[in-house]
């Protein structure tokens, strides 16, 4: 009885562990990469400063137009005339 049940029990436990590992590994890997992607920050060395300056100038121009009461249609009309 002992010689039959021990290898059978070991095989069943190993099979269940292997199946559990196969099911949980993809979920754990995707979760790990999701968490690491949220924690990692892009280095400031790789930022494009020209693009940031361009965006700031566009925002400044939009604010100036709002303060002056000009709409986008007015700006386009002036651009087409001149």
């Amino acid at each position: 009885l002992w010689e039959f049940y021990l290898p059978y029990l070991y095989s069943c436990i190993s099979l269940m562990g292997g199946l559990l590992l196969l099911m949980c590994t993809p979920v754990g890997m995707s979760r790990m990469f999701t968490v690491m992607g949220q924690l990692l920050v892009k280095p400031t060395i790789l930022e494009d400063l020209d693009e940031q300056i361009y965006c700031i100038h566009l925002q400044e121009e939009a604010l100036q137009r709002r303060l002056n009461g000009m709409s986008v249609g007015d700006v386009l009309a002036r651009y087409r005339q001149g």
Side-chain angles (χ1 to χ4, degrees):
L1 188 68
W2 179 255
E3 292 174 4
F4 175 71
Y5 275 119
L6 189 61
Y8 180 71
L9 184 64
Y10 179 76
S11 297
C12 289
I13 292 174
S14 296
L15 178 66
M16 292 299 167
L19 291 175
L20 184 69
L21 202 63
L22 281 174
M23 288 188 324
C24 293
T25 299
V27 175
M29 291 288 284
S30 67
R31 176 76 179 141
M32 179 180 67
F33 284 114
T34 302
V35 169
M36 289 305 293
Q38 292 172 352
L39 292 177
L40 291 177
V41 178
K42 183 179 176 183
T44 56
I45 297 171
L46 300 178
E47 290 181 359
D48 188 8
L49 294 179
D50 292 332
E51 181 180 352
Q52 286 184 358
I53 291 171
Y54 179 71
C55 290
I56 291 171
H57 283 296
L58 286 178
Q59 291 173 354
E60 184 181 354
E61 289 175 10
L63 288 173
Q64 285 295 332
R65 283 195 300 268
R66 282 185 188 171
L67 289 173
N68 293 336
M70 295 174 59
S71 67
V72 175
D74 297 337
V75 173
L76 289 176
R78 282 190 180 182
Y79 178 74
R80 289 180 186 149
Q81 289 175 356

